[in-house]
Amino acid sequence: MRDKGYYVAPVLTPDATRFVGAVTFSALASEPARTSLYGDPTTPIPHTYLGQHAALVVVAPATAHLIARYATGLADDLLTATLLATRAPVLLCPAMHTEMWEQPSVQENLATLRRRGVMVMEPERGALAGGDEGVGRLPEPTRIAALVEAIVEGYRGPFSGRRVLISAGGTREAIDPVRVLSNRSSGRQGYALAEVAARQGASVTLVSTVELPLSLDTVRAIDVVAVESAAEMYDAMMKRSLDSDVVIMAAAVADFTLTASKEKLKKREGVPELRFTPAPDVLAELVAQRQRGQLIVGFAAETTNVMANASAKLREKRVDLLVVNDVAAPGAGFMHETNEVVLLDRDEVAERVSLRSKEAVAVAILARVAAMFEDGPS
Ligand code: CTP
């Protein structure tokens, strides 16, 4: 990290010094290694100095013991005191034997820390101390360094400085306090779009009905807003679209909603008659209040007469790009890891994106959006 121009302040726990001497770290880092809360005449309160100046705190390797102390809020040495004294993001790189890694206590402590926003880089499978083999190996230092760089620097790319608003998942319309009306959307294509846009420099807002894990390198560039119904999605999207450069409606929004019964519908009262009313058409409203220079991408979920329906939808919806999804095709659309789409631009030029991962489909969609920035708005 120092070779890349970073300022590195090393902290060693007393146990770490049994493996590597502090002098080694002092020679390689930007300032002398610290091993104790006490006895440094130049920095009498080292944990606050370290915590307040850090852009990122990396603990590598993070032992089961360190993870437990951090999860509990102990501050009985310089490292744990620094972890409590910082507001900087924290990245833990656990390394230990497989048996220890799989202990519920270790996993529960990590879950607690993740919930508090701590980033955890998963250990790798490979050779462990003492000739054993399994999960628990510290990732290669170059991988850790690349992740540190992505977290601290963010990404640069065609979406640098652009705000991208994306919707994901299927809405849920309440029938009563227990039952909902929904659809099979998994949210994966919307999440993939968010991650790829973040890796290309965007600052992303993801309005989603589902919560999926985000990669450590993108989590700080993506603001997830949880919604449930079409009405909630409408409110969240309309408000946030005002300062977005790109809006992508990947969510499967209900077309019909209903007034939810306050009490659970009882079986003995017979088969209920549900009265539907139209749900807000979020995409139509976004297009109606389109901001200057804003690009709007819609999705079309079709099962029959796919391209004819999609062309009609493109004209009707007046979007810049329509991502046409034949959701009945094998391996594509809802509930799949992969997708296959046709990109239909505002001039009705079609580009087929063959079956591939949802991430690769996101790359293709965003490449078209980025090219439109260069062409200028419609
Ligand atoms: N959409 C929306 N609000 C709705 C329904 C759909 O914003 N209430 C958006 C979807 O997110 C998608 C696009 O409109 O980007 C097209 O959705 P789709 O379900 O394919 O089309 P519909 O307009 O609902 O028409 P139909 O169901 O008749 O095919």
Side-chain angles (χ1 to χ4, degrees), residues 167 230 249-255 279-284 297-302 313 316-317 322:
S167 67
M249 273 303 294
V253 188
D255 289 325
D281 187 330
V282 185
L283 186 58
V297 180
F299 272 63
E302 304 291 347
K313 218 170 253 180
E316 210 175 286
K317 305 252 175 187
L322 192 67

Side-chain angles (χ1 to χ4, degrees), residues 158-234:
F159 287 88
S160 287
R162 310 262 191 202
R163 290 166 187 271
V164 178
L165 175 65
I166 300 171
S167 67
T171 58
R172 288 184 291 279
E173 309 303 309
I175 295 172
D176 64 18
V178 177
R179 303 174 177 100
V180 293
L181 187 76
S182 191
N183 58 64
R184 295 186 195 277
S185 168
S186 65
R188 286 193 204 119
Q189 187 62 72
Y191 266 76
L193 281 160
E195 295 216 300
V196 173
R199 289 197 185 105
Q200 297 188 2
S203 112
V204 180
T205 302
L206 181 62
V207 175
S208 179
T209 63
V210 292
E211 200 188 329
L212 298 177
L214 287 167
S215 308
L216 291 182
D217 59 334
T218 59
V219 72
R220 280 158 52 77
I222 302 175
D223 181 22
V224 181
V225 179
V227 294
E228 181 158 308
S229 63
E232 285 174 13
M233 179 156 285
Y234 173 82

Side-chain angles (χ1 to χ4, degrees), residues 1 4 9 25 66 70 83 96 99 117 120 123 127 144 163 169 186 188 199 202 249 261 269 286 288 327 335 367:
M1 294 316 298
K4 287 175 190 272
F25 278 85
L66 177 282
Y70 185 24
L83 286 168
M96 62 197 77
E99 296 87 336
V120 180
I144 301 175
R163 290 166 187 271
S186 65
R188 286 193 204 119
R199 289 197 185 105
M249 273 303 294
S261 160
E269 281 154 21
L286 288 167
V327 288
M335 310 302 281

